[in-house]
Amino acid sequence: MASKKILYYVGKSHYAEAEVFRDMFDDMKCIDIHNQPTTDIMTKHDVLLLGGGEDISPALYHSKPCQYNFGPATPSRRDVVESLLVRMAKERNLPVIGICRGAQMLGVESGNMLVQHVTGHERDHDIYFTDYAKRYANIQDVDMGEYYPCLSSHHQMVYRVSDNIMPLMHSVPQTKVLIFSDTQVIDMSDGDTDLYPELEMFVGLKRKILGIQGHPEYGYIGHPFTDLSRKIVQHYLESWE
């Protein structure tokens, strides 16, 4: 990955977590901007990274909070800051990578919904490449026919309702219950999982965005999921040049 890139980071534990991402993305210089929420300091060679954290307010995707939602009823300061940064990045055609909550923010800002509570994803599980990825994403040194272990810790996920993003990877079925709201609870035990695919990675079609639902920073260089994420990140940063 080109050393000229700088990683501008907004996340939960800020600098300490940013250092992990810096190492994961081939020692890119990392600047924490949670107290200076603007893309004005970024150049076309730089990358905005949104890290993990608390639930996003369902107000951002026009839903009422369910009983399992731990986000505020109205957008938090971080919600507002990250939403603004993503829109600024869109206007300037800058690349944005979202990890866990960050991926969910990218999903919301691309016109998609969030499942407010999903079971089975608070633990590690296998993920696999979608047909779209196999057909259109030519990622070097990655066997796209394999299953990969995902380092997972989340209870919400992006539910794709727009064509602004395309799925790169799905989870093998983990979900037993999907909750969009207190009035829309879906028991998957006898349902059709094809109707509710468990999205793990996605890429923007018209925007330079990459969402990774899992936590590659929980691993280490050499861990299958960390290494897979590194290769996918590198692939898209190079293709967006």
Side-chain angles (χ1 to χ4, degrees):
M1 205 169 297
S3 59
K4 62 184 178 182
K5 293 184 184 298
I6 298 176
L7 191 68
Y8 289 89
Y9 172 81
V10 180
K12 181 179 180 180
S13 51
H14 307 306
Y15 188 73
E17 190 176 41
E19 286 291 285
V20 175
F21 284 114
R22 184 201 69 178
D23 293 340
M24 193 186 83
F25 295 148
D26 292 341
D27 203 28
M28 293 169 62
K29 182 178 179 180
C30 184
I31 298 177
D32 177 2
I33 59 169
H34 78 281
N35 284 324
Q36 189 182 7
T38 178
T39 64
D40 291 346
I41 56 178
M42 296 177 63
T43 74
K44 66 179 181 179
H45 303 300
D46 300 330
V47 184
L48 176 63
L49 174 68
L50 308 180
E54 65 277 7
D55 292 353
I56 294 170
S57 171
L60 287 187
Y61 47 97
H62 310 293
S63 294
K64 294 181 179 180
C66 76
Q67 61 178 319
Y68 298 105
N69 187 290
F70 303 110
T74 58
S76 66
R77 180 185 181 277
R78 183 176 174 187
D79 289 338
V80 173
V81 165
E82 291 188 354
S83 176
L84 178 62
L85 284 170
V86 172
R87 295 177 190 184
M88 287 178 174
K90 178 184 178 181
E91 291 176 358
R92 297 189 56 204
N93 197 31
L94 298 171
V96 188
I97 299 170
I99 306 294
C100 197
R101 172 199 155 94
Q104 294 166 10
M105 179 61 74
L106 291 179
V108 168
E109 286 297 320
S110 300
N112 297 277
M113 295 286 294
L114 292 187
V115 178
Q116 292 197 45
H117 184 65
V118 59
T119 58
H121 287 262
E122 70 282 355
R123 60 181 183 272
D124 299 348
H125 54 267
D126 287 344
I127 58 177
Y128 62 93
F129 282 100
T130 63
D131 291 339
Y132 169 85
K134 291 176 181 177
R135 184 172 181 180
Y136 294 107
N138 183 22
I139 304 172
Q140 293 186 354
D141 302 321
V142 171
D143 185 346
M144 304 189 78
E146 286 293 321
Y147 287 79
Y148 292 86
C150 175
L151 298 171
S152 182
S153 177
H154 65 98
H155 82 108
Q156 297 191 335
M157 67 180 183
V158 175
Y159 181 63
R160 177 173 170 260
V161 295
S162 83
D163 291 332
N164 294 324
I165 61 173
M166 288 301 295
L168 288 179
M169 301 193 79
H170 283 152
S171 169
V172 298
Q174 297 290 320
T175 297
K176 301 301 181 185
V177 178
L178 282 169
I179 300 176
F180 289 92
S181 69
D182 285 334
T183 58
Q184 190 177 6
V185 180
I186 300 169
D187 186 344
M188 299 289 286
S189 300
D190 300 317
D192 186 351
T193 57
D194 291 338
L195 293 176
Y196 301 98
E198 300 169 37
L199 187 56
E200 292 287 347
M201 289 193 196
F202 60 84
V203 65
L205 282 183
K206 299 180 180 179
R207 299 169 61 176
K208 297 176 180 178
I209 59 174
L210 174 64
I212 301 175
Q213 181 61 74
H215 285 276
E217 77 279 14
Y218 285 4
Y220 49 86
I221 304 302
H223 188 284
F225 183 62
T226 302
D227 286 357
L228 174 68
S229 299
R230 281 162 52 86
K231 290 175 182 178
I232 292 174
V233 166
Q234 181 172 359
H235 169 80
Y236 280 104
L237 291 185
E238 290 178 350
S239 69
W240 288 335
E241 284 286 352

